[in-house]
């Protein structure tokens, strides 16, 4: 019994090693064991010149499996060529079916099916690595029932001709499949641009098993890597296997990438090295700007314009020397968000020279940026405390805002005070007297849509207050609902659709404006009518065309440029009669050549003015003339002594107006 147990343990150990080898895969071929399934591809009668394995007398391919490796083969699958393009679509899916049509440059299924029957590999070669396509063509089989597989498990593929004759194409065991090392993939090329990142990973291989590359990306501020779909593809050039990936990204951010090579059967390699990329060209990186220095309290106060909030920057370096040309030493390295520094380690009446330089992340293509310079000689000192330094603000796992700062060196301290506001110039004390250098601010006091500024002040025993520390910006992670406007009303007047809605700004301090959206009733998507948010609750749409049905909706915009969902939709029909009307007046004058008829000209549409006339002896008006591009007409057919009535009707391609004003005249 002990011997049997030992043998079983040996078999189990051997199977684990054979099933999950370290960093090896299998090449595409007739048998490909993977971690979750075993795959196989049936050969074509014409080799690599055709995708159709069923030409000639081939009826089907039967797949058999010998699970224990004892010669007991059982049929597990039968492959056939699709009976129609609909059958192919059912097998491969609509995405692959549509892609095949595009590749073949056809639109109907029957033509595409004839191309599939021909096995046109020139047009369809790109689908060689598509499992869905190969399954749809009846060229690939898959065995997901591998729970009881072992190294001796074997597979057999039998070709069956139309006359029923069978031919064994191959028989192979899992342990007979050659395992190929993936190789160590390393980053070869990296291109940083303002909004594009391009990466290439390579490995020195002559027969690389890698087919797909699963790209993982970690954006600046995220906690975990995300898988990018679809996967990249590996290809070989000479003795090198490589894959390429490029994407458009947000400028000025730090990104990390790595790739996990995978063969056709799903076996994976060890991950590649990690690539660090910044989506910004070096020439566009901003240095220190507006550097100033002044004699403040008991030292030199340096301040500058805060660096852009981008992942490029890792800190700000402060160097000091008594000479302007050399001898500079580093006295501090600050956070990239800091915009000031107080140096108290100076002697009165001695000139000091400073260099302030932004530090960037060590990424290919980035070098040391030039420094901004300033100098000062401190001539006096005061008893006012120096402004606190090193303020840090973050949100912990309990959803509370934490503050920490360095302890001031003064010995006559009374207390620290925390200031908070929505701008640097409007911060107010929000804490009591603090005897420590930490503070917790509750999220209940904060709006998730606003950015806050925090600062620290120190009061000494003489009740003299320091200047505020360098402000630190912080935006809390707090979900805020943006209410949408209601009461949307519409009316057409003065050649425009007048839109009005509820005033949300009065009800919500964070809302700063509105955006108006419109679509034709027959359209699916709304389009914005204004780029900048509106501060008012009315909007006149002068672009609405007469005779059409329109849907309107409004969204609210908050201070962080986030939008609410659209309001309930309101519909209006722009009336044709609003712009299609007969002339407002009519003028009749007797002239020698006839009755002179004139009217005020239209200016909004290209109209045809149809003039109608009837005598006092007639009951109905009759058309006299159609007048275009003119505001008068002479009726030379009027009979002397007769009494006539005239009126005008305006006409366009869109319709006919109501008759205009009616006037009478007797022909002299």
């Amino acid at each position: 019994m002990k011997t049997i147990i030992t043998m079983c343990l040996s078999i189990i150990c051997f199977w684990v090693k054979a099933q999950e080898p370290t960093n090896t895969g299998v090449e595409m071929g007739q048998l490909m064991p993977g971690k979750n399934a075993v795959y196989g591809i049936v050969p074509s009668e014409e080799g690599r010149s055709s995708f159709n394995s069923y030409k000639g007398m081939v009826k089907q391919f039967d797949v058999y499996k010998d699970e224990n490796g004892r010669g007991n083969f059982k049929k597990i699958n039968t492959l056939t060529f699709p009976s129609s393009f609909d059958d192919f679509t059912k097998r491969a899916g609509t995405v692959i079916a549509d892609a095949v049509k595009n590749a073949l440059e056809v639109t109907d299924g029957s033509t595409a099916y004839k191309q599939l029957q021909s096995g046109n590999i020139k047009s369809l070669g790109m689908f060689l690595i598509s499992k869905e396509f190969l399954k749809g063509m009846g060229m690939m089989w898959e065995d997901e029932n591998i729970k009881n597989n072992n190294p001796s498990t074997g597979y057999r593929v039998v070709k069956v001709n139309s006359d029923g004759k069978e031919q064994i194409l191959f028989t192979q065991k899992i342990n007979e499949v050659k395992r190929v090392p993936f190789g160590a993939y390393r980053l070869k090329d990296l291109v940083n641009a303002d909004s594009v990142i391009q990466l290439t990973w390579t490995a020195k291989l002559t027969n690389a098993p890698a087919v797909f590359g699963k790209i993982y990306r970690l954006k600046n501020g995220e906690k975990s890597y995300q898988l990018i779909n679809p996967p990249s593809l590996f290809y070989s050039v000479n003795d090198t296997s490589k894959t390429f990936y490029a994407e458009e990204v947000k400028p000025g951010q730090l990104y990390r990438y790595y790739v996990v090579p995978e063969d056709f059967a799903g076996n994976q390699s060890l991950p590649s090295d990690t690539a660090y990329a910044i989506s910004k060209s070096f020439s566009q990186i901003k240095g220190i700007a507006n550097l100033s220095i002044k004699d403040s309290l008991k030292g030199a106060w340096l301040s500058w314009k805060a660096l852009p909030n981008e992942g490029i920057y890792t800190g700000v370096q402060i160097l000091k020397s008594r000479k302007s040309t050399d001898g500079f030493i580093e006295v501090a390295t600050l956070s990239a968000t800091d915009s000031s520094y107080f140096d108290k380690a100076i002697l009165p009446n001695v000139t000091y020279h400073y260099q302030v330089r932004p530090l960037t992340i060590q990424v290919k293509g980035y070098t040391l940026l030039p420094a901004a310079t300033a100098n000062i000689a401190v001539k006096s000192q005061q008893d006012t405390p120096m402004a606190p330094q090193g303020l840090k603000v973050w949100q912990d796992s309990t959803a509370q805002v934490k503050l920490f700062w360095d302890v001031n060196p003064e010995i006559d301290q009374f207390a620290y005070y925390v200031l908070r506001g929505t701008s640097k110039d409007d911060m107010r004390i929000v804490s009591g007297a603090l005897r420590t250098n930490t503070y917790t601010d509750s999220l209940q006091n904060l709006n998730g849509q606003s950015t806050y500024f925090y600062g620290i002040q120190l009061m000494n025993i003489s009740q003299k207050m320091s200047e505020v520390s360098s402000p630190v910006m912080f935006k809390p992670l707090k979900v805020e609902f943006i209410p949408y406007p209601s009461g949307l009303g519409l009316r057409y007047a003065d050649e425009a659709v007048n839109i009005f809605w509820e005033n949300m700004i009065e009800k919500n301090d964070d809302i700063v404006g509105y955006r108006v959206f419109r679509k034709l009733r027959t359209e699916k998507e709304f389009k914005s009518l204004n780029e900048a948010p509106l501060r008012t609750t009315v909007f006149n749409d002068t672009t609405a065309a007469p005779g059409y049905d329109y849907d309107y909706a409004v969204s609210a915009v908050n201070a962080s440029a986030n939008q609410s969902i659209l309001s309930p939709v309101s519909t209006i029909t722009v009336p044709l009669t609003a712009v299609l009307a007969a002339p407002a007046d009519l003028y009749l004058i007797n002239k020698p050549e006839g009755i002179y008829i004139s009217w005020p000209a239209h200016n909004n549409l290209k109209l045809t003015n149809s003039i109608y006339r009837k005598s006092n002896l007639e009951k109905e008006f009759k058309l006299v003339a159609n007048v275009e591009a003119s505001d008068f007409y002479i009726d030379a057919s009027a009979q002397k002594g007769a009494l006539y009535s005239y009126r005008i009707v305006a006409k366009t391609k869109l319709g006919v107006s109501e008759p205009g004003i009616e006037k009478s005249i007797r022909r002299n």
Side-chain angles (χ1 to χ4, degrees):
M1 178 65 71
K2 182 177 181 181
T3 302
I4 295 174
I5 293 175
T6 302
M7 291 176 62
C8 291
L9 289 176
S10 299
I11 293 173
I12 292 173
C13 292
F14 175 77
W15 172 230
V16 170
K17 293 179 181 179
Q19 180 71 3
E20 298 182 1
T22 303
N23 200 30
T24 62
V26 296
E27 297 179 308
M28 287 188 65
Q30 56 191 19
L31 186 64
M32 297 170 287
K35 183 178 180 180
N36 300 313
V38 175
Y39 301 87
I41 298 177
V42 298
S44 170
E45 289 290 323
E46 300 180 25
R48 296 185 178 181
S49 62
S50 175
F51 267 118
N52 188 348
S53 299
Y54 297 83
K55 290 185 176 181
M57 299 289 291
V58 180
K59 175 185 177 183
Q60 65 190 46
F61 295 92
D62 293 332
V63 182
Y64 295 82
K65 177 179 178 181
D66 176 16
E67 191 172 77
N68 298 315
R70 299 175 182 174
N72 184 21
F73 285 91
K74 295 181 180 179
K75 184 188 294 187
I76 62 171
N77 208 334
T78 295
L79 305 181
T80 60
F81 192 80
S83 59
S84 63
F85 195 79
D86 288 339
D87 186 21
F88 172 80
T89 302
K90 183 178 180 180
R91 298 181 185 185
T94 56
V95 173
I96 293 297
D98 291 341
V100 167
K101 287 183 180 179
N102 290 334
L104 296 174
E105 299 181 350
V106 299
T107 58
D108 62 293
S110 60
T111 304
Y113 182 72
K114 292 179 181 179
Q115 292 285 349
L116 293 180
Q117 288 179 311
S118 69
N120 188 349
I121 200 166
K122 291 183 179 180
S123 300
L124 299 174
M126 67 192 74
F127 295 96
L128 177 63
I129 57 174
S130 169
K131 290 186 176 71
E132 291 79 10
F133 175 81
L134 295 177
K135 290 179 181 178
M137 293 290 288
M139 296 179 63
M140 193 187 82
W141 54 271
E142 177 181 358
D143 179 20
E144 295 180 331
N145 186 20
I146 62 171
K147 180 179 180 181
N148 298 320
N149 280 16
N150 62 63
S152 297
T153 299
Y155 292 86
R156 174 177 293 169
V157 175
V158 177
K159 180 178 70 173
V160 181
N161 293 330
S162 57
D163 58 3
K165 292 183 179 180
E166 296 184 350
Q167 176 187 354
I168 297 176
L169 296 183
F170 74 89
T171 301
Q172 192 173 18
K173 295 182 178 180
I174 290 178
N175 58 10
E176 295 174 348
V177 178
K178 181 181 178 181
R179 306 292 304 207
V180 181
F182 277 99
Y185 286 88
R186 295 290 181 264
L187 182 68
K188 176 64 175 178
D189 294 308
L190 170 63
V191 177
N192 295 300
D194 288 342
S195 58
V196 175
I197 292 176
Q198 300 177 0
L199 308 104
T200 302
W201 284 277
T202 64
K204 288 293 183 181
L205 289 176
T206 56
N207 54 345
V211 177
F212 308 106
K214 290 188 174 180
I215 307 292
Y216 291 84
R217 176 189 62 207
L218 178 64
K219 296 181 182 179
N220 188 36
E222 292 183 343
K223 295 183 178 180
S224 60
Y225 281 86
Q226 303 296 321
L227 175 64
I228 300 173
N229 285 314
S232 63
L233 298 177
F234 279 87
Y235 59 98
S236 297
V237 178
N238 298 327
D239 63 342
T240 301
S241 173
K242 61 175 61 178
T243 189
F244 172 83
Y245 177 72
E247 69 171 350
E248 293 186 5
V249 293
K250 182 179 180 181
Q253 298 297 309
L254 172 64
Y255 294 81
R256 300 174 178 88
Y257 301 86
Y258 69 87
V259 60
V260 177
E262 185 177 281
D263 66 11
F264 192 81
N267 301 300
Q268 292 187 349
S269 168
L270 298 175
S272 70
D273 57 341
T274 301
Y276 292 77
I278 294 293
S279 56
K280 200 173 188 73
S281 62
F282 184 78
S283 62
Q284 298 297 320
I285 299 178
K286 297 183 180 298
I288 297 296
N290 301 337
L291 175 64
S292 65
I293 187 169
K294 64 180 180 178
D295 182 347
S296 178
L297 304 177
K298 299 178 182 179
W301 184 267
L302 290 84
S303 63
W304 55 91
K305 182 179 180 181
L307 294 171
N309 185 21
E310 298 176 348
I312 303 168
Y313 303 100
T314 60
V316 177
Q317 183 186 50
I318 310 295
L319 300 103
K320 181 174 69 174
S321 175
R322 293 190 184 183
K323 299 180 181 180
S324 61
T325 56
D326 55 39
F328 285 89
I329 60 172
E330 181 177 321
V331 294
T333 300
L334 310 179
S335 167
T337 59
D338 290 337
S339 59
S340 63
Y341 173 72
F342 183 78
D343 185 13
K344 66 187 180 79
I346 59 177
L347 299 174
N349 303 317
V350 175
T351 300
Y352 291 91
H353 299 268
Y354 292 87
Q355 292 182 349
V356 182
R357 175 186 290 116
L359 301 177
T360 62
I361 191 168
Q362 298 299 310
V363 176
K364 181 179 179 182
Y366 291 81
T367 59
L368 200 62
L369 292 171
T373 61
N375 63 81
I376 194 173
V378 177
K379 298 180 180 180
S380 63
Q381 301 182 16
Q382 302 177 9
D383 295 329
T384 305
M386 63 174 282
Q389 300 286 315
L391 175 61
K392 310 293 182 186
V393 183
W394 72 95
Q395 188 170 336
D396 67 3
S397 59
T398 63
Q400 300 297 319
V401 181
K402 298 290 187 179
L403 284 80
F404 172 84
W405 58 93
D406 298 335
V407 176
N408 274 40
E410 289 89 351
I411 61 174
D412 60 341
Q413 298 182 13
F414 170 71
Y416 293 98
Y417 294 89
V418 176
L419 294 87
R420 183 187 70 220
T422 55
S423 71
K424 295 180 181 179
D425 302 324
D426 186 25
M427 292 193 296
R428 300 180 182 180
I429 294 177
V430 295
S431 72
L434 302 174
R435 300 293 193 272
T436 65
N437 61 334
T438 61
Y439 179 72
T440 300
D441 195 10
S442 174
L443 275 182
Q444 294 180 354
N445 305 319
L446 307 179
N447 184 340
Q449 302 299 325
S450 300
T451 298
Y452 294 90
F453 292 83
Y454 283 94
I456 308 294
Q457 279 187 298
L458 172 63
M459 178 184 288
N460 63 15
I461 297 176
S462 301
Q463 296 189 349
K464 291 185 177 181
M465 190 73 80
S466 73
E467 293 185 7
V468 180
S469 67
S470 299
V472 173
M473 292 189 301
F474 173 77
K475 185 172 184 180
L477 297 174
K478 185 178 180 181
V479 177
E480 296 287 343
F481 171 74
I482 307 174
Y484 59 84
S486 60
L488 183 64
L490 306 173
R491 67 186 182 90
Y492 189 85
D494 299 328
E495 300 182 6
V497 177
N498 306 137
I499 310 159
F500 48 92
W501 57 88
E502 177 188 12
N503 191 348
M504 303 300 296
I505 296 178
E506 293 181 349
K507 299 181 179 180
N508 192 313
D509 294 338
D510 193 46
I511 292 179
V512 298
Y514 311 92
R515 294 188 70 187
V516 181
F517 295 85
R518 184 192 77 185
K519 72 177 182 67
L520 287 171
R521 172 57 67 88
T522 57
E523 294 177 337
K524 294 183 178 180
E525 301 293 334
F526 278 96
K527 296 180 181 178
S528 176
L529 296 180
N530 59 302
E531 295 183 1
L534 299 172
R535 293 286 298 176
T536 64
T537 58
V538 294
F539 181 82
N540 292 330
D541 180 12
T542 59
T543 63
Y548 291 95
D549 296 330
Y550 290 98
D551 290 338
Y552 288 88
V554 179
S555 69
V557 181
N558 67 7
S560 301
N562 296 316
Q563 286 191 182
S564 71
I565 62 175
L566 293 181
S567 67
V569 176
S570 292
T571 303
I572 189 173
T573 299
V574 179
L576 191 61
T577 57
V579 292
L580 181 59
D585 205 348
L586 185 64
Y587 314 107
L588 305 175
I589 301 174
N590 269 295
K591 288 193 175 185
E593 58 271 25
I595 296 178
Y596 183 85
I597 308 166
S598 62
W599 55 87
H602 289 277
N603 57 8
N604 56 347
L605 285 178
K606 293 182 178 179
L607 301 174
T608 297
N609 290 304
S610 297
I611 302 173
Y612 289 84
R613 183 191 73 187
K614 74 172 183 176
S615 68
N616 60 333
L617 301 177
E618 294 175 323
K619 294 183 178 181
E620 301 293 336
F621 280 90
K622 296 180 181 180
L623 178 65
V624 176
N626 291 314
V627 181
E628 296 182 4
S630 181
D631 56 1
F632 73 92
Y633 175 76
I634 297 177
D635 183 8
S637 65
Q639 301 297 318
K640 293 182 179 181
L643 177 64
Y644 292 103
S645 295
Y646 291 89
R647 68 184 184 187
I648 297 178
V649 174
K651 297 180 180 179
T652 69
K653 294 181 179 179
L654 299 175
V656 179
S657 74
E658 294 294 327
I661 188 170
E662 181 179 326
K663 287 189 177 182
S664 300
I665 189 172
R666 186 179 296 279
R667 175 67 173 134
N668 292 337

